[in-house]
């Protein structure tokens, strides 16, 4: 949009406190048209990855991808729950945990993974969650 985005946009950074971010997003929930959630999968896919090779990277990203594809907040929470594994794999999943909590009571009616890859050894996923009438 060369002239700017034609709708109001609120930016919320997770930073060090996911609870603060969740509260900020909840505050604007009635005005929300969409959420863009950015997170990193495992950064240990291969010998030249930032975190070097860890064979748990693919199963971890598989679990996150399955939860996103299924539009399943509880499964997404579970996939990101092991803090030690998340840290070892250098995955940045705090925003996924906030997303799961925000939509737990109203899960999406349709969902799909639009992209999945691990260029440069870092797992990336792009997913769309949709609700009727929004």
């Amino acid at each position: 949009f060369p002239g700017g985005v034609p709708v109001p946009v609120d930016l919320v950074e997770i930073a060090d406190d996911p609870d603060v971010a969740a509260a900020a997003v909840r505050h604007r929930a009635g005005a929300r048209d969409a959420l863009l959630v950015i997170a990193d999968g495992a950064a240990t896919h291969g010998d030249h990855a930032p975190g070097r090779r860890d064979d748990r990277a693919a199963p971890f990203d598989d679990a996150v991808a399955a939860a996103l594809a299924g539009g399943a907040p509880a499964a997404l929470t579970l996939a990101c729950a092991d803090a030690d594994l998340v840290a070892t794999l250098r995955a940045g999943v705090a925003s996924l945990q906030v997303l799961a909590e925000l939509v737990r009571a109203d899960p999406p009616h349709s969902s799909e993974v639009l992209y999945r890859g691990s260029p440069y050894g870092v797992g990336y996923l792009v997913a769309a969650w949709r609700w009727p009438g929004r």
Side-chain angles (χ1 to χ4, degrees):
F1 302 101
V5 179
V7 296
V9 175
D10 290 324
L11 300 175
V12 177
E13 183 177 345
I14 298 300
D16 294 326
D17 195 343
D19 293 334
V20 171
V25 172
R26 264 191 225 96
H27 174 72
R28 296 277 301 163
R32 180 185 324 127
D33 290 321
L35 289 172
L36 172 63
V37 177
I38 300 172
D40 293 329
T44 54
H45 289 276
D47 294 332
H48 299 291
R52 306 303 264 167
R53 175 181 300 279
D54 189 316
D55 292 336
R56 298 172 294 175
F60 174 82
D61 283 354
D62 288 345
V64 172
L68 290 170
L76 189 55
T77 298
L78 184 59
C80 301
D82 185 337
D84 291 334
L85 179 62
V86 165
T88 300
L89 298 178
R90 296 187 177 190
V93 297
S95 57
L96 295 177
Q97 293 167 318
V98 170
L99 170 66
E101 184 60 33
L102 288 172
V103 302
R104 183 175 307 281
D106 182 23
H109 290 268
S110 69
S111 54
E112 64 181 311
V113 171
L114 304 170
Y115 171 80
R116 179 174 180 189
S118 53
Y120 308 108
V122 179
Y124 294 101
L125 295 121
V126 176
W129 284 9
R130 294 179 181 86
W131 290 260
R134 292 187 217 169

